[in-house]
Amino acid sequence: MTVHFIGAGPGAPDLITVRGLRLIEACPVCLYAGSLVPAEIVKAAPEGARVRDTAPMTLDEIIAEMRAAHAVGKDVARVHSGDPSLYGAIAEQMRRLDALAIPYDVTPGVPAFAAAAAALQKELTVPEICQTVILTRTAMKSSKMPEGEELSTLGRSGATLAIHLSVRNIPHIQRELVPLPAYGEDCPAVIAYRVGWPDEAFIHGTLGDIHKKARAAKLTRTALIFVGRALGAEDFIDSKLYDAGHVHVLRPKRKAAAS
């Protein structure tokens, strides 16, 4: 018996991995985060499977389901949105399973930031503009941010920021980033709402006006905020990857043609 933590992707049912879908199809127990995982994905569970939405459940109740499945030797598909390694709350579940000697594994999924960048047709790392992406969030009602991970500290890098769980905290984001030289009020910002779902939407603006636009759209949850100069980059150099003058082991220097 194994508990399979599965990343279901950001929303579109066809963005789940082949491995993840096959595990759901094979497991007689399926526990899924119903507020963020499409019902179409868990419909793939086998006929007669025990399928439970964990959105209204506590951690103790979720673990109890896993213990009950373990007792009768039934594999569990534990389905999370996006990639479970990011804000998936799987660490606390795995800690409980370790204590109970219940085996588990993890299948990655497409994270929301990657799906959003694809939908926006943006590369988040642009030569000589930005070569770093920081995935972070801000503290509201959830656990506080560790010391040293304040936006004002992270922002000194000038990286492309993918800020999760913070669409109701944009004024704080502005206060932290606008004074920094790498950002400022004119820095491009994008809010990606419900990426991969039928009502997917993107709000384009700047760090200075994105809060006003978010309020006008009445967005309060399920959104990711991008901030960074790479989002608006147009006049940048080509990378060295395919440069004819850049020699490497897979593209060695070519001999001059014989005259």
Side-chain angles (χ1 to χ4, degrees), residues 14-31:
D14 60 350
L15 279 182
I16 190 171
T17 65
V18 173
R19 181 190 299 178
L21 183 59
R22 286 176 176 168
L23 286 170
I24 292 171
E25 291 172 340
C27 288
V29 178
C30 179
L31 308 175

Side-chain angles (χ1 to χ4, degrees), residues 124-198:
L124 303 179
T125 53
V126 177
E128 296 190 0
I129 301 294
C130 172
Q131 292 290 283
T132 301
V133 179
I134 295 177
L135 313 178
T136 188
R137 67 169 177 85
T138 62
M140 294 185 68
K141 293 183 178 179
S142 55
S143 56
K144 66 180 182 179
M145 295 296 290
E147 185 177 350
E149 293 190 21
E150 302 85 3
L151 279 180
S152 58
T153 300
L154 300 177
R156 291 174 191 161
S157 65
T160 299
L161 301 177
I163 308 172
H164 296 71
L165 309 170
S166 300
V167 75
R168 290 182 293 142
N169 209 16
I170 297 177
H172 169 74
I173 294 171
Q174 292 170 318
R175 288 192 298 270
E176 293 286 288
L177 297 180
V178 166
L180 299 178
Y183 300 95
E185 288 196 356
D186 66 337
C187 183
V190 178
I191 298 177
Y193 172 74
R194 282 175 61 84
V195 177
W197 293 78

Side-chain angles (χ1 to χ4, degrees), residues 56-226:
M57 297 170 65
T58 66
L59 176 59
D60 286 342
E61 290 170 336
I62 293 168
I63 298 301
E65 287 282 342
M66 296 174 178
R67 290 184 68 176
H70 179 255
V72 293
K74 291 184 177 181
D75 285 351
V76 176
R78 176 63 174 117
V79 188
H80 285 264
S81 63
D83 181 271
S85 70
L86 297 172
Y87 310 113
I90 66 168
E92 61 204 49
Q93 297 174 68
M94 293 189 294
R95 180 170 60 189
R96 297 286 190 97
L97 294 178
D98 285 337
L100 295 168
I102 297 176
Y104 57 85
D105 58 27
V106 182
T107 297
V110 177
F113 83 90
L120 289 165
Q121 298 180 333
K122 293 290 185 182
E123 184 171 356
L124 303 179
T125 53
V126 177
E128 296 190 0
I129 301 294
C130 172
Q131 292 290 283
T132 301
V133 179
I134 295 177
L135 313 178
T136 188
R137 67 169 177 85
T138 62
M140 294 185 68
K141 293 183 178 179
S142 55
S143 56
K144 66 180 182 179
M145 295 296 290
E147 185 177 350
E149 293 190 21
E150 302 85 3
L151 279 180
S152 58
T153 300
L154 300 177
R156 291 174 191 161
S157 65
T160 299
L161 301 177
I163 308 172
H164 296 71
L165 309 170
S166 300
V167 75
R168 290 182 293 142
N169 209 16
I170 297 177
H172 169 74
I173 294 171
Q174 292 170 318
R175 288 192 298 270
E176 293 286 288
L177 297 180
V178 166
L180 299 178
Y183 300 95
E185 288 196 356
D186 66 337
C187 183
V190 178
I191 298 177
Y193 172 74
R194 282 175 61 84
V195 177
W197 293 78
D199 56 348
E200 168 186 283
F202 296 92
I203 298 176
H204 298 259
T206 65
L207 196 50
D209 67 15
I210 200 69
H211 182 230
K212 180 179 179 181
K213 292 183 176 182
R215 290 185 63 185
K218 298 181 179 179
L219 299 185
T220 59
R221 63 188 300 270
T222 324
L224 170 69
I225 304 167
F226 284 124

